Amino acid sequence: MKVNELIAQLSDLPPDADVVVKGYEGGVDDVVDIHIVMIRRDVNNEWFYGKHEADNDGNIQAVLLVGPERKPD
């Protein structure tokens, strides 16, 4: 996704929403999609989890930048 595509998609979303990405490991990937999700903040302490949890019962609206799904070979 290019910056102009990202800006166009984000401009239609709530400006006060948090922005989050999936947690875990290294490397980088392209952003392939954007979703609105509800999250619970600061619920995970383990290093291998993201700090927050996507949860339909969460009380904070967030924009999730989504990369491609990776599957083992």
Side-chain angles (χ1 to χ4, degrees), residues 18-20 39-44 49-54:
D18 287 9
V19 178
V20 296
I39 62 170
R40 292 181 293 122
R41 291 185 68 70
D42 302 318
V43 297
N44 294 323
Y49 286 128
K51 286 176 51 174
H52 317 303
E53 193 67 46

Side-chain angles (χ1 to χ4, degrees), residues 1 4 13-14 16 20-22 27 31 36 41-43 51 54 57-59 61 65-66 69 71:
M1 180 176 293
N4 63 336
L13 300 176
D16 59 343
V20 296
V21 297
K22 274 188 164 183
V31 172
I36 291 286
R41 291 185 68 70
D42 302 318
V43 297
K51 286 176 51 174
D57 294 327
N59 61 350
Q61 189 176 50
L65 302 180
V66 180
E69 284 295 319
K71 295 187 169 108

Side-chain angles (χ1 to χ4, degrees), residues 7-44:
I7 290 169
Q9 289 190 35
L10 290 175
S11 69
D12 293 332
L13 300 176
D16 59 343
D18 287 9
V19 178
V20 296
V21 297
K22 274 188 164 183
Y24 195 68
E25 294 297 332
V28 297
D29 265 321
D30 296 313
V31 172
V32 296
D33 205 358
I34 297 172
H35 299 287
I36 291 286
V37 296
M38 299 304 291
I39 62 170
R40 292 181 293 122
R41 291 185 68 70
D42 302 318
V43 297
N44 294 323

